[in-house]
Structures are given as structure tokens and as C-alpha cells.
Amino acid sequence: MIARRFARLATGTRLLVLLSLALLPLGCLAIYAAIQNSRSVDLERRALLRIAADGAARRLAAEITVDVTALRAAVNLLESGADELAVCARTRSVFGTALLDSDNFLLVTRGGRPICGALALAADEPVRARPAGAVRIADQSVELNARSATGAFIGIARYGLTDLRRTVTPQERLWPLRVVLASGDERLALISEFALPVVERLERVTVRVPRTGLDLMFAVERAPFTATQMITMLTPVMMWVAALAVAWLVIHRFVLDPLARLHATISGYQPGRILPSPARMTVPAREIADLGDTFSAISQTVAAHEAQLALGLTRQTRLTREVHHRVKNNLQVVSSLINLHARAARAEEAIAAYATIGRRVDALAVVHRNHFAELEDNRGLNLHGLIGELTSNLRTTAITGTGNEPLPTIRIDVPSLNVAQDTAIPLAFLLTELIELAMTIDPAASIGITIAPIDTPGRARLTLVSPALADGELIAQLLAERYGRVLEGLSRQLRTPLDRDGDTGRFAVDFALLQPVAVPVAAPLMG
């Protein structure tokens, strides 16, 4: 099973596997020896680092213990009623001989009245909220807190970075150090004598500072590999490279050059073009020659299929254009027939009915014409051009009688938004119904049409406002008898309820966009 899988590998892969297996024992021995040598050096370095960390932890614990004891004694003496000046002098003398400066502390009452000490606290630091007997890291320093038995007096002291570095720095500097003091999630870098490498090779030692709750972390860089170790580890690699070079010279003529020529030929292949068969005299490897013949045969098959697909696409495009052309002509014939019958009518009700039907047919024709114009790009219908043409036609059909009646003023503000045909048709009919309703109530009424994206992604809102659509007896009668059911049906096609404000004469409806538009840009059209 393994031999069968190995036989399926490429020649170059098999060559690499065989050479790697042959040199693997020698390489493992050399690498193991170098790693063991480096590990011995690292263990020695870790031991010395442990000694330095333990010593620093003991020194820091001793200093903190002395100062915490002094703070506790001071607040307890103040609690017992001792003289404040005497207590301050005693505390100052203790801190003067310790790690801290003689005035780098503060004795204060629970109410915040300072007794002695030069330690400055921030204005927003609550004194009474400090934990009793706690050692914590704050503001690039280590803070000590002590509280009397009743909590009436509080002692605070702080170690600065300089004092802490002086305490934890080993007397004998072996290597560049990184020393970090930690308390929970808080970290305070004390010594940083080298930058952290991209590939981290560090020796770390973490010790607990006794009786403080602090952790002291020492880190040094691991011992680097020496030149002898590097040569020992690289010897198998150099032997492997030499063997590859010999094998390369052997297989270059028979495999690599013919494959490179075949790859160049296939890389430049374009669908529909026929690849030439490789010349037999220039390809020593018979398998590669057979592969080239196979690609040539495949290219011939693909070229024949491409020609058939191109012919079918041309026929389909012609058929689609013919269908759209016939639908557009049929709509024009229907519109012309309606106009002829309207001219022959004598009753005003018949003329109005023919005009109403003609407006609906014109609206459908406008949608279809715009849909056909955008069909090849598959970008949907652009509402800016669609509504502009639709309102122009509706304004033209408002001229009746002698033609002396005032024309309605239609102002639109529509950005370049695209919608599908299933959305454009209900929108066009909805606008037609609302504009006709407004012109029926007041032929000279002004009409405003606005479309803008809303907060919901991929949706926009159509708003039509006209004083003629404000609440009144006539609009109520027309909505009840004729327009109301039509408007409700169109809004259901848009899957959104139609919003009406009778006080301002506003109708609004939301609809889906074909694609989101980041910034709508369109100049308003005035009629």
C-alpha cells in the first residue's frame, strides 16, 4: 500500500523523500547533540537565574516587612492616643534607615486629615477605601497600606521604581535582565535591559516574595548557538543540497525542461484556441509528450463547445430582444387604440375612463422600456429615469378641454437607486394612482415626490406630498369608491403597508432595493 502511494508521487517529490530518508539519521544525531549542548548551558543559566531571583525576593520581602511593621506600629500608637509628633518622628527615623526615603510615607486619619509624611495622593483617591495591610501595585510603584484596629488611622507608603530596581538588582550582573513585579493582573517592569525577540527564546523564573502577595519574574535570553553547533546542524543540510544538485543535473534534461515548455504553452491558453502538439524530437520524456497530445485534444473539444455556446447565446439574445420589442409594440398599439376611442367619446365620464386606462398602460410601458434598456447589464431599473419619464407623461395627460387649464406642478427628488421589475411595476402604478387622485381633486395642485434610503439596509422609502391629498369630503369619497382598494392592493405587492398622513396630504411606502447605494446623487427635476 505504501509502495503504491509512493509510486503516485511526482518525480521531484520522490527524489526529495528518498534523499531525506537517507540523511535523516545523520541529521537527527547532529541536531540532538547541538540541542543537548545548548540545553546544558540553558540549565546552568536557569540555576543562576533562580539564585538571583530568590535573593532579590528575600531582600524585597525584608524591606517591605520592616516598613509595613513601622506603619502598623505608627497607626496603632496613634490609635492608643500617643503624641502625633513623637509617632511621626519615630516613623520617619525607621523609614530613613530603610529602602524608602524618610518622608516617602503618609499618616492620615480616616476622614482624610494628614498627620505627617510627604507622600502626595491624587485628589480622586479615596483614603478610607484602601484595604488594610495590603501590598499592591499602583501608578508605577508598590504601595503599602496599614490600618489601625478601629480604622481611625491609616498609614500609606510607596516604593518608587528607583528604590525597587536598587533592591532587586543582583550584585553580580551575569547577563542582560528583564525583571517584572506582578500582583494579580497588575504588572510593573523594573528592569528591561533587552527587547523581546520576535521568536521568543527566554529563560524565565518566577518566585513569590514572602508575606507580600507579590511575584517577582526574572528573564534572560537563552544561550545562543555557537559556530561549531551551527556547522554540526547544517552539515546534513549541506549534504542534502549537494545530492539535490546532482539529481537536478540528471533529471533536468528529461523532465524539467519539457515540463517548463508545456507549462508555458498551457499558461497562455485561451478558451477557443487549439493547443499545438509538442514536437517529439525535442521531448525526451514520452509521458510528457503524451500529456501534451492530451491537452491538444482537449483544447479542440473546448473550442468546439465554445463555438456552440456562442451560437446559442447569440440566438437567445436575438429572441429576448424580439420578445421585448414585440411587447413594447403591443403596448404602444394598445395605447394608440385607447387614444382613438377617447377622441371619439362624447361623454365626460367615458373620456375620463379612457384617460385613466391610458395612464396605467403608459406607466406599464415606461417600466417595460426602462427594464429593456437595463436588461443586458442586469442592473435593474433606475428609479431616477423611470419616475422622471412617468411624471412627464402624467403631466402631459393632465391637459384636457381647451388646454387652458393650469398644469400640475410635479417636483421629484429621486436618487439613482435600482430596483427589480417586480418592485418597479407596483411603484409606477402607485405613483400613477396617487398623482391622478391629486389631479382629480385639484388639477393645478403641486405634487412632491421624494425617494431616500432608510436605516434598514437594502430598503428605501417613497413619499408623495400634495395639498390636494389632505383630508376632505372629496378625497374620502374617492378613496372609498375607487382608489383606496387599488392603493391597498399595490402596497400589498410591495409587502409594506401604505402610510398616510391626512393633515399634510402625505403618502409613504417602503420598498426593497436591488442593490445598496452608499451615497445617492441626483439632481431634482422640476415640472
Side-chain angles (χ1 to χ4, degrees), residues 214-470:
L214 300 176
D215 291 323
L216 197 59
M217 295 182 288
F218 274 56
V220 296
E221 293 180 311
R222 290 183 180 178
F225 290 108
T226 62
T228 304
Q229 293 171 339
M230 296 297 293
I231 293 175
T232 303
M233 287 189 296
L234 289 177
T235 299
V237 178
M238 291 185 292
M239 294 177 63
W240 179 63
V241 172
L244 285 180
V246 174
W248 176 269
L249 295 176
V250 174
I251 67 172
H252 190 277
R253 171 64 180 168
F254 296 98
V255 178
L256 298 181
D257 276 350
L259 282 178
R261 288 193 294 268
L262 184 60
H263 178 268
T265 302
I266 297 174
S267 299
Y269 171 72
Q270 297 294 332
R273 187 171 65 89
I274 299 176
L275 293 176
S277 297
R280 292 280 176 172
M281 298 301 294
T282 59
V283 182
R286 180 179 58 82
E287 294 81 3
I288 298 178
D290 294 339
L291 181 62
D293 293 338
T294 302
F295 277 119
S296 178
I298 292 175
S299 65
Q300 295 177 10
T301 304
V302 172
H305 289 174
E306 286 284 335
Q308 294 177 2
L309 289 176
L311 181 59
L313 180 60
T314 302
R315 292 176 179 174
Q316 184 64 33
T317 303
R318 290 177 181 175
L319 179 61
T320 303
R321 290 178 177 175
E322 180 65 23
V323 169
H324 279 278
H325 182 70
R326 290 180 181 273
V327 172
K328 182 180 67 174
N329 290 343
N330 291 338
L331 290 175
Q332 290 176 351
V333 170
V334 172
S335 179
S336 299
L337 291 174
I338 292 173
N339 291 334
L340 290 175
H341 284 284
R343 293 192 187 98
R346 295 294 180 265
E348 293 183 0
E349 292 81 0
I351 295 175
Y354 280 124
T356 300
I357 297 173
R359 293 189 187 101
R360 275 61 174 180
V361 174
D362 287 341
L364 185 59
V366 169
V367 172
H368 185 78
R369 187 159 50 250
N370 283 269
H371 176 66
F372 177 68
E374 301 290 344
L375 183 63
E376 292 185 355
D377 292 336
N378 197 21
R379 292 184 290 111
L381 285 83
N382 187 277
L383 290 179
H384 183 68
L386 173 66
I387 296 179
E389 184 178 355
L390 180 65
T391 53
S392 177
N393 292 344
L394 290 173
R395 191 167 179 268
T396 302
T397 59
I399 303 176
T400 59
T402 61
N404 296 325
E405 291 84 352
L407 297 178
T409 301
I410 303 178
R411 178 180 56 83
I412 71 173
D413 185 3
V414 180
S416 295
L417 299 175
N418 295 334
V419 296
Q421 186 181 17
D422 293 340
T423 303
I425 292 176
L427 283 178
F429 283 144
L430 185 67
L431 284 175
T432 302
E433 295 292 333
L434 291 175
I435 295 174
E436 182 180 288
L437 177 61
M439 291 190 304
T440 302
I441 297 173
D442 184 3
S446 62
I447 301 172
I449 302 173
T450 304
I451 293 181
I454 58 178
D455 294 337
T456 304
R459 296 189 66 82
R461 177 168 297 161
L462 166 66
T463 304
L464 187 144
V465 180
S466 176
L469 301 179

Side-chain angles (χ1 to χ4, degrees), residues 500-518:
R500 177 174 180 255
D501 185 358
D503 295 334
T504 59
R506 179 182 65 85
F507 284 82
V509 67
D510 297 344
F511 60 92
L513 299 174
L514 186 61
Q515 57 186 6
V517 177

Side-chain angles (χ1 to χ4, degrees), residues 65-86:
T65 302
V66 171
D67 294 336
V68 169
T69 303
L71 284 177
R72 289 175 178 170
V75 296
N76 289 331
L77 287 173
L78 292 174
E79 179 77 20
S80 64
D83 181 63
E84 294 182 355
L85 294 178

